[in-house]
């Protein structure tokens, strides 16, 4: 993995999102949302994620970590595979785990803002307390980027046959220290085992062709925890690393 440490202030030197490798139209869209210049964590994180590399990112709360991983992931999900856009039927290609409903909703808002630029990339959320029937209906149609609490995600992995994960490319463990402190370590391991079992048993999606078969089982990982918290247990997540991605602390 690649270690990135950054603060919360805007990056020096007139850096721009386009210069980091984001699509010019997406960079303009970010500017329209009020993100005129990248912060240090975004400057350090976006290029390696666009290159599909592992990275361990440490930055304080409020530094823009969510956008740092969400923007490159959404751009990569929006790109054509084998010359065509991936249809919704291929299912979920990015999973974002968060410890609370509030954080899931906040991350869902970021995904919604970003995917307005890529209308064919659908974002969504899963959390306890929402009607399972409505969640199942959305999963059946296909949600490319999904933010979820661990318990609710396990529920659907085990009980929703129409929840397709065979094209999964990214696993994000956001606020990883809080996930551990709240006792979700075993659930995260269970999620990884369930996804691995599902993807081994099912064939790759037809649209993926050679690329899908080559990347099978190589799920990128992003782990995020607040660097300014007094104690972090995110190092305990080391065994969960698999394949391409980043860790953001």
């Amino acid at each position: 993995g690649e270690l990135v440490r950054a603060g919360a202030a805007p990056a020096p030197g007139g850096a721009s999102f386009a210069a980091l490798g984001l699509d010019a139209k997406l960079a303009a869209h970010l500017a329209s949302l009020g993100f005129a210049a990248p912060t240090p964590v975004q400057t350090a994180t976006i290029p390696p994620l666009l290159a599909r590399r592992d990275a361990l990112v440490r930055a304080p709360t409020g530094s823009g970590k969510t956008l740092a991983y969400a923007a490159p992931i959404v751009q990569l999900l929006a790109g054509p595979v084998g010359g065509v856009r991936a249809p919704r039927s291929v299912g979920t290609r990015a999973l974002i785990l968060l410890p609370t409903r509030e954080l899931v909703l906040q991350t869902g808002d970021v995904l919604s803002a970003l995917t307005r630029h890529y209308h064919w990339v659908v974002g969504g959320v899963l959390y306890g307390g929402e009607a399972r029937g409505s969640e199942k209906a959305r999963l059946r149609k296909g949600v490319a980027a999904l933010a979820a609490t661990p318990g609710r995600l396990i529920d659907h992995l085990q009980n929703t046959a129409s929840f397709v994960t065979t094209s999964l490319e990214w696993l994000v463990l956001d606020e990883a220290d809080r996930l551990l402190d709240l006792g979700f370590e075993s659930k995260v391991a269970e999620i990884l085992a369930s996804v691995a079992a599902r993807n081994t048993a099912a064939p790759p999606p037809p649209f993926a062709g050679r690329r899908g078969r080559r990347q099978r089982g190589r799920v990128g990982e992003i782990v995020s925890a607040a660097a300014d918290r007094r104690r972090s247990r995110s190092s305990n997540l080391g065994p969960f690393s698999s394949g391409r991605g980043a860790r953001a602390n």
Side-chain angles (χ1 to χ4, degrees), residues 85-97:
R85 292 175 180 171
R88 289 185 65 175
S89 59
V90 305
T92 298
R93 298 168 61 197
L95 279 175
I96 305 168
L97 301 184

Side-chain angles (χ1 to χ4, degrees), residues 111-155:
L111 291 174
S112 295
L114 290 173
T115 54
R116 282 190 216 123
H117 179 69
Y118 301 110
H119 60 84
W120 59 94
V121 178
V122 177
V125 296
L126 296 177
Y127 54 86
E130 191 178 9
R132 289 187 74 259
S134 298
E135 292 178 338
K136 290 180 73 170
R138 291 197 297 273
L139 292 173
R140 187 180 303 113
K141 292 179 180 178
V143 179
L146 182 65
T149 52
R152 195 62 155 196
L153 179 59
I154 289 174
D155 184 2

Side-chain angles (χ1 to χ4, degrees), residues 184-249:
F184 287 122
E185 185 172 356
S186 62
K187 289 188 181 297
V188 172
E190 185 177 353
I191 288 166
L192 293 179
S194 179
V195 168
R198 281 166 145 253
N199 294 359
T200 299
F207 91 97
R210 294 179 181 176
R211 179 179 181 273
R213 288 191 290 272
R214 183 173 63 252
Q215 292 184 345
R216 195 168 174 144
R218 293 184 55 78
V219 178
E221 180 181 310
I222 303 172
V223 181
S224 166
D228 52 350
R229 290 201 178 110
R230 181 172 300 176
R231 181 173 60 94
S232 175
R233 297 173 55 203
S234 58
S235 60
N236 292 353
L237 290 168
F240 297 148
S241 179
S242 59
R244 189 185 60 256
R247 295 178 177 164
N249 283 2

